[in-house]
Amino acid sequence: MIKKILFIFVIFSFCLCIMGSKKEKAEILNASLFQTSYYEGVNINKVISSKQELIDFLNIYDGFSKEELTIINDTYNDDYFLSNELVIKYVTEKSSSISYKVSGINITNEDILINIEKESLDFITCDMVGWFIFIEKDKDINYNNVVLKFN
């Protein structure tokens, strides 16, 4: 009888562990948006796994402000990359008066789905702009695609 109770307890604990770990993985996803220069014809879907890869990336795409670079360098340091990665996507917009806001992040069928809301002023300017989307993820989260859904 004690062996059966112990067996049931072990199975129950294992199930809780599995359910808990999936929830934790989904909760650690985060996304940041950086408005930057317009790069014509650029399609970026890059995984950054180390500080050096991030430095190399930032040397190529230099449209970040000094404040943004400080935030990026302080946030994504060597400690960050011990257990995390950055997935970087780039999108363009026809006007800098249109901005983006991340409204949700989900994992569906091993895809990372980023819901993005467009916000615009009452007027539209005639300047092209780009947005880098930095998706923070645990290295243990496996996925096939990062899908951006604009609302």
Side-chain angles (χ1 to χ4, degrees):
M1 178 71 168
I2 292 176
K3 287 183 180 179
K4 285 184 181 179
I5 292 173
L6 184 59
F7 177 74
I8 291 170
F9 177 77
V10 168
I11 296 298
F12 179 73
S13 297
F14 178 74
C15 290
L16 284 176
C17 249
I18 290 174
M19 290 173 16
S21 67
K22 286 184 180 176
K23 184 177 179 185
E24 289 170 3
K25 286 182 181 178
E27 287 177 348
I28 61 169
L29 288 173
N30 189 30
S32 300
L33 295 164
F34 297 98
Q35 185 176 354
T36 186
S37 302
Y38 173 73
Y39 299 101
E40 187 173 353
V42 172
N43 182 13
I44 298 171
N45 186 15
K46 184 163 184 59
V47 177
I48 306 284
S49 299
S50 71
K51 180 66 176 183
Q52 186 58 53
E53 287 179 27
L54 179 59
I55 291 168
D56 294 343
F57 177 85
L58 294 172
N59 285 333
I60 294 170
Y61 299 101
D62 58 357
F64 296 93
S65 70
K66 288 183 181 187
E67 294 82 17
E68 289 172 332
L69 287 173
T70 299
I71 292 168
I72 290 168
N73 285 314
D74 289 349
T75 304
Y76 307 115
N77 54 30
D78 288 326
D79 289 338
Y80 172 85
F81 287 107
L82 291 175
S83 58
N84 300 291
E85 294 175 319
L86 276 178
V87 179
I88 299 178
K89 298 213 40 114
Y90 178 77
V91 295
T92 60
E93 190 56 66
K94 62 185 175 195
S95 171
S96 65
S97 61
I98 298 173
S99 62
Y100 294 155
K101 179 178 131 183
V102 175
S103 60
I105 305 171
N106 298 303
I107 299 178
T108 59
N109 300 326
E110 296 189 13
D111 289 342
I112 298 174
L113 175 63
I114 310 289
N115 294 311
I116 298 176
E117 291 181 22
K118 283 188 179 185
E119 300 174 340
S120 62
L121 301 173
D122 292 336
F123 60 91
I124 300 294
T125 57
C126 294
D127 55 336
M128 300 289 288
V129 68
W131 289 86
F132 281 110
I133 304 170
F134 282 32
I135 300 123
E136 301 173 6
K137 68 171 232 27
D138 188 293
K139 286 184 178 180
D140 294 335
I141 295 176
N142 296 317
Y143 67 96
N144 294 324
N145 298 299
V146 174
V147 179
L148 302 177
K149 181 180 176 188
F150 294 91
N151 301 322

